[in-house]
mmCIF file of all heavy atoms in Angstrom:
data_model
loop_
_atom_site.group_PDB
_atom_site.id
_atom_site.type_symbol
_atom_site.label_atom_id
_atom_site.label_comp_id
_atom_site.label_asym_id
_atom_site.label_seq_id
_atom_site.Cartn_x
_atom_site.Cartn_y
_atom_site.Cartn_z
ATOM 1 N N PRO A 71 9.043 56.271 -50.041
ATOM 2 C CA PRO A 71 9.095 54.934 -49.433
ATOM 3 C C PRO A 71 10.441 54.249 -49.608
ATOM 4 O O PRO A 71 10.843 53.449 -48.760
ATOM 5 C CB PRO A 71 7.986 54.167 -50.175
ATOM 6 C CG PRO A 71 7.086 55.226 -50.700
ATOM 7 C CD PRO A 71 7.961 56.397 -51.012
ATOM 8 N N ARG A 120 19.922 39.528 -46.278
ATOM 9 C CA ARG A 120 18.726 39.779 -45.467
ATOM 10 C C ARG A 120 18.716 38.887 -44.230
ATOM 11 O O ARG A 120 18.360 39.327 -43.132
ATOM 12 C CB ARG A 120 17.456 39.577 -46.299
ATOM 13 C CG ARG A 120 17.137 40.759 -47.206
ATOM 14 C CD ARG A 120 15.743 40.658 -47.791
ATOM 15 N NE ARG A 120 15.676 39.683 -48.867
ATOM 16 C CZ ARG A 120 16.005 39.925 -50.126
ATOM 17 N NH1 ARG A 120 16.452 41.117 -50.477
ATOM 18 N NH2 ARG A 120 15.900 39.000 -51.053
ATOM 19 N N ARG A 129 15.719 45.539 -39.355
ATOM 20 C CA ARG A 129 14.461 45.303 -40.062
ATOM 21 C C ARG A 129 14.736 45.412 -41.554
ATOM 22 O O ARG A 129 15.119 46.483 -42.048
ATOM 23 C CB ARG A 129 13.392 46.317 -39.645
ATOM 24 C CG ARG A 129 13.022 46.265 -38.173
ATOM 25 C CD ARG A 129 11.695 46.973 -37.895
ATOM 26 N NE ARG A 129 11.654 48.319 -38.428
ATOM 27 C CZ ARG A 129 12.110 49.404 -37.802
ATOM 28 N NH1 ARG A 129 12.696 49.271 -36.626
ATOM 29 N NH2 ARG A 129 12.004 50.601 -38.343
ATOM 30 N N THR A 130 14.550 44.331 -42.278
ATOM 31 C CA THR A 130 14.887 44.313 -43.699
ATOM 32 C C THR A 130 13.702 43.856 -44.541
ATOM 33 O O THR A 130 12.770 43.225 -44.035
ATOM 34 C CB THR A 130 16.070 43.362 -43.968
ATOM 35 O OG1 THR A 130 15.648 42.007 -43.714
ATOM 36 C CG2 THR A 130 17.269 43.691 -43.086
ATOM 37 N N ARG A 131 13.793 44.174 -45.832
ATOM 38 C CA ARG A 131 12.805 43.676 -46.804
ATOM 39 C C ARG A 131 13.429 43.763 -48.190
ATOM 40 O O ARG A 131 14.413 44.480 -48.410
ATOM 41 C CB ARG A 131 11.518 44.481 -46.743
ATOM 42 C CG ARG A 131 11.702 45.984 -46.883
ATOM 43 C CD ARG A 131 10.391 46.712 -46.686
ATOM 44 N NE ARG A 131 10.585 48.138 -46.506
ATOM 45 C CZ ARG A 131 9.609 49.010 -46.316
ATOM 46 N NH1 ARG A 131 8.360 48.584 -46.309
ATOM 47 N NH2 ARG A 131 9.863 50.291 -46.145
ATOM 48 N N ASP A 132 12.841 43.036 -49.107
ATOM 49 C CA ASP A 132 13.275 43.101 -50.502
ATOM 50 C C ASP A 132 13.042 44.528 -50.992
ATOM 51 O O ASP A 132 11.955 45.089 -50.842
ATOM 52 C CB ASP A 132 12.449 42.106 -51.320
ATOM 53 C CG ASP A 132 12.984 41.942 -52.736
ATOM 54 O OD1 ASP A 132 13.545 42.919 -53.273
ATOM 55 O OD2 ASP A 132 12.837 40.848 -53.297
ATOM 56 N N ALA A 133 14.081 45.136 -51.573
ATOM 57 C CA ALA A 133 13.964 46.531 -52.024
ATOM 58 C C ALA A 133 12.854 46.709 -53.046
ATOM 59 O O ALA A 133 12.285 47.798 -53.176
ATOM 60 C CB ALA A 133 15.296 47.007 -52.593
ATOM 61 N N ALA A 134 12.518 45.645 -53.786
ATOM 62 C CA ALA A 134 11.452 45.729 -54.786
ATOM 63 C C ALA A 134 10.098 46.021 -54.143
ATOM 64 O O ALA A 134 9.169 46.489 -54.813
ATOM 65 C CB ALA A 134 11.387 44.434 -55.590
ATOM 66 N N GLU A 135 9.962 45.767 -52.851
ATOM 67 C CA GLU A 135 8.705 46.051 -52.154
ATOM 68 C C GLU A 135 8.468 47.544 -52.010
ATOM 69 O O GLU A 135 7.325 47.988 -51.862
ATOM 70 C CB GLU A 135 8.704 45.394 -50.775
ATOM 71 C CG GLU A 135 8.707 43.873 -50.814
ATOM 72 C CD GLU A 135 8.691 43.273 -49.420
ATOM 73 O OE1 GLU A 135 8.301 43.996 -48.477
ATOM 74 O OE2 GLU A 135 9.075 42.105 -49.260
ATOM 75 N N VAL A 136 9.533 48.346 -52.029
ATOM 76 C CA VAL A 136 9.384 49.799 -51.908
ATOM 77 C C VAL A 136 9.630 50.514 -53.228
ATOM 78 O O VAL A 136 9.250 51.668 -53.400
ATOM 79 C CB VAL A 136 10.335 50.363 -50.819
ATOM 80 C CG1 VAL A 136 9.923 49.855 -49.451
ATOM 81 C CG2 VAL A 136 11.780 50.008 -51.103
ATOM 82 N N GLY A 142 18.225 44.425 -54.592
ATOM 83 C CA GLY A 142 18.860 44.251 -53.294
ATOM 84 C C GLY A 142 17.916 44.346 -52.118
ATOM 85 O O GLY A 142 16.750 43.947 -52.189
ATOM 86 N N THR A 143 18.417 44.922 -51.032
ATOM 87 C CA THR A 143 17.731 44.918 -49.737
ATOM 88 C C THR A 143 17.555 46.337 -49.218
ATOM 89 O O THR A 143 18.468 47.162 -49.307
ATOM 90 C CB THR A 143 18.553 44.109 -48.716
ATOM 91 O OG1 THR A 143 18.664 42.759 -49.168
ATOM 92 C CG2 THR A 143 17.914 44.130 -47.340
ATOM 93 N N HIS A 144 16.371 46.617 -48.692
ATOM 94 C CA HIS A 144 16.111 47.898 -48.030
ATOM 95 C C HIS A 144 16.138 47.658 -46.524
ATOM 96 O O HIS A 144 15.494 46.740 -46.015
ATOM 97 C CB HIS A 144 14.746 48.453 -48.443
ATOM 98 C CG HIS A 144 14.406 49.770 -47.826
ATOM 99 N ND1 HIS A 144 13.548 49.912 -46.768
ATOM 100 C CD2 HIS A 144 14.852 51.020 -48.113
ATOM 101 C CE1 HIS A 144 13.454 51.183 -46.437
ATOM 102 N NE2 HIS A 144 14.226 51.882 -47.240
ATOM 103 N N VAL A 145 16.917 48.472 -45.795
ATOM 104 C CA VAL A 145 17.032 48.340 -44.340
ATOM 105 C C VAL A 145 16.281 49.494 -43.696
ATOM 106 O O VAL A 145 16.666 50.659 -43.853
ATOM 107 C CB VAL A 145 18.507 48.344 -43.885
ATOM 108 C CG1 VAL A 145 18.598 48.112 -42.382
ATOM 109 C CG2 VAL A 145 19.300 47.281 -44.638
ATOM 110 N N ALA A 146 15.205 49.172 -42.976
ATOM 111 C CA ALA A 146 14.352 50.210 -42.396
ATOM 112 C C ALA A 146 14.848 50.702 -41.045
ATOM 113 O O ALA A 146 14.444 51.751 -40.569
ATOM 114 C CB ALA A 146 12.921 49.687 -42.255
#
Side-chain angles (χ1 to χ4, degrees):
R120 281 192 284 276
R129 298 197 308 274
T130 67
R131 53 185 167 180
D132 189 329
E135 294 181 20
V136 294
T143 299
H144 181 258
V145 184

